[in-house]
Amino acid sequence: MLTTTRIFNFSAGPAVLPLPVLEQVRDHLVALPGVGMSILEISHRSRTFEEILRETQADIRKVGNIPGNYNILFLQGGASLQFAMVPMNLLPAGQTADYLVTGSWAEKAAKEARKFGQVRVAASTQAENFARIPDQREIALTGDAAYVHMTSNNTIFGTQWKTLPDVGDRPLVSDTSSDMFSRPLDVSRHALIYAGAQKNLGPSGVTVVIIRDDMIERSARASGALATMLSYKVHADNGSLYNTPPVFAVYIIGLVMKWALKAGGLEALARVNERKAAKLYAEIDRSGFYRGHAHPNSRSLMNVTFRLPSEELEKMFVKESTAAGFDGLKGHRSVGGLRASIYNAFPEEGIDALVGFMREFERKHG
Ligand SMILES: *Cc1c(COP(=O)(O)O)cnc(C)c1O
């Protein structure tokens, strides 16, 4: 017999999607209403898809309150390709890019950028195994930095910037892969925002890039020396249709945006996310059996990282929780322990169930 029971999916990414979105995809998979073909079969040049693309962009703009001087692009290659495209397009020879190194993804971004230009680490919390976000006073920016790169949420370590760093008039570039649209964000303080979709926005295969007009101009100056597919200018000029975009992934992002709007938008989603995370952190802090990795004032609302008194107990926790229908709780090897990824679409019942499981586990093994 086919099992269609959904378990609680705590995966860091690709991650849980809203159930109503999955149900709509299922209902319309064989034939889009009024089209008679599957979304998997239609041309990216068709009127149907052009409308889907335009509407998805418009809904992203609505959800994120994105001003008119920003372009919304759908690219491929994941957030990891943005680690290269950002410096290739935005870091001219002879200038320096500042990186705020707050975790493994931030480190990877800085390392990749070094292949293309001069990079400075303007702040790092590596010495503390990235357990916190640096304070403004610890950030030493280059006067005329080409841009400042940050990672808004550190998926592996479970930390998150609570306010944006003050970078003056330097362009701020943010990797928001794991907390995009989990809370209101002030787009106007950024020059470029990118996010691999597979954590909070949709399925894998598409990266959303929100880029200000002046950065497109800067990209235009770099583009002559770049492979066509690596130029922001090319993708912006062609409305993300220079080549075949990931049609299915864009379609699903469109459905997720409709779901987010129906849920009340970013303020409403943020309230739910705060409540969900608070329940888990309260359980972690309750008795001392569980220990959070992140400093309390840097705690992520999306990825909750915690340890148990021994690695043996951690292994046991993974095994027993998996058997109980909680998937994906094993932490990343660089932190160890456990990680509960609780993105927008993660249901609050799953949090309550995990808290219940944690109490029972402590009662049995504590
Ligand atoms: C997952 C993740 C990435 C890597 O994304 P890919 O799309 O797999 O390249 C980069 N940055 C952050 C913050 C992430 O969470």
Side-chain angles (χ1 to χ4, degrees):
M1 201 185 77
L2 204 67
T3 171
T4 49
T5 310
R6 281 172 67 76
I7 61 171
F8 292 120
N9 175 6
F10 290 91
S11 167
V16 60
L17 285 164
L19 184 58
V21 167
L22 295 175
E23 286 169 342
Q24 187 171 344
V25 173
R26 176 200 60 201
D27 291 350
H28 294 172
L29 187 65
V30 172
L32 281 173
V35 178
M37 294 178 280
S38 170
I39 182 68
L40 295 168
E41 302 170 311
I42 61 170
S43 165
H44 63 295
R45 306 277 174 210
S46 65
R47 180 80 160 276
T48 301
F49 184 66
E50 281 196 1
E51 270 168 25
I52 288 171
L53 185 95
R54 255 202 314 275
E55 196 168 322
T56 301
Q57 280 168 329
D59 284 341
I60 288 176
R61 203 175 283 285
K62 210 182 294 173
V63 170
N65 194 21
I66 298 169
N69 60 327
Y70 288 78
N71 302 263
I72 299 163
L73 309 179
F74 299 113
L75 306 184
Q76 298 187 64
S80 297
L81 186 60
Q82 295 309 304
F83 296 167
M85 277 181 73
V86 166
M88 288 172 118
N89 284 271
L90 307 183
L91 178 52
Q95 279 188 259
T96 298
D98 283 352
Y99 277 71
L100 307 177
V101 178
T102 52
S104 308
W105 293 115
E107 264 183 335
K108 281 196 171 143
K111 185 169 176 230
E112 188 75 356
R114 281 199 190 93
K115 294 184 174 181
F116 306 103
Q118 198 155 303
V119 165
R120 245 193 85 239
V121 173
S124 171
T125 50
Q126 188 194 16
E128 294 155 71
N129 200 20
F130 299 119
R132 64 180 183 86
I133 296 297
D135 194 79
Q136 183 70 37
R137 289 178 310 244
E138 299 169 79
I139 302 174
L141 297 172
T142 303
D144 59 348
Y147 60 82
V148 181
H149 182 282
M150 64 175 282
T151 310
S152 60
N153 183 73
N154 299 283
T155 325
I156 291 173
F157 296 92
T159 65
Q160 187 176 29
W161 292 79
K162 299 299 163 186
T163 55
L164 290 174
D166 181 1
V167 298
D169 53 13
R170 301 166 190 85
L172 180 62
V173 174
S174 186
D175 174 0
T176 64
S177 293
S178 52
D179 69 350
M180 182 79 173
F181 290 169
S182 66
R183 56 179 178 175
L185 87 164
D186 188 350
V187 174
S188 70
R189 287 185 59 189
H190 299 79
L192 188 150
I193 295 168
Y194 64 90
Q198 67 273 18
K199 282 147 189 161
N200 240 339
L201 298 176
S204 64
V206 64
T207 310
V208 174
V209 174
I210 299 167
I211 175 171
R212 204 169 60 201
D213 285 343
D214 60 327
M215 295 296 115
I216 297 284
E217 291 317 307
R218 204 190 279 186
S219 161
R221 292 194 287 279
S223 287
L226 293 181
T228 310
M229 281 294 288
L230 299 180
S231 159
Y232 291 127
K233 169 76 175 157
V234 168
H235 291 293
D237 283 353
N238 290 278
S240 297
L241 287 166
Y242 171 74
N243 73 324
T244 316
V247 169
F248 190 54
V250 170
Y251 164 73
I252 295 178
I253 290 185
L255 299 182
V256 173
M257 291 303 105
K258 299 266 187 233
W259 171 84
L261 287 167
K262 203 168 157 205
L266 297 190
E267 257 133 50
L269 288 172
R271 274 197 300 278
V272 175
N273 286 332
E274 273 161 28
R275 195 171 63 222
K276 278 156 53 183
K279 284 182 177 177
L280 265 187
Y281 285 120
E283 181 57 25
I284 287 168
D285 292 340
R286 190 175 53 83
S287 74
F289 180 71
Y290 300 103
R291 209 160 20 89
H293 173 73
H295 286 209
N297 59 5
S298 295
R299 283 173 165 178
S300 168
L301 301 186
M302 298 283 98
N303 310 97
V304 177
T305 48
F306 58 99
R307 307 292 314 248
L308 272 72
S310 71
E311 286 188 17
E312 202 186 330
L313 280 169
E314 287 169 346
K315 276 200 193 110
M316 208 183 285
F317 188 99
V318 171
K319 199 164 156 228
E320 291 186 14
S321 62
T322 306
F326 303 96
D327 193 74
L329 284 168
K330 188 176 187 318
H332 191 276
R333 61 191 177 282
S334 49
V335 183
L338 289 303
R339 169 175 56 175
S341 296
I342 50 171
Y343 300 117
N344 280 353
F346 189 88
E348 194 160 352
E349 311 91 81
I351 306 278
D352 297 335
L354 178 60
V355 167
F357 177 86
M358 287 168 76
R359 290 206 174 181
E360 182 58 17
F361 189 87
E362 180 181 348
R363 198 187 58 74
K364 279 198 309 206
H365 304 287

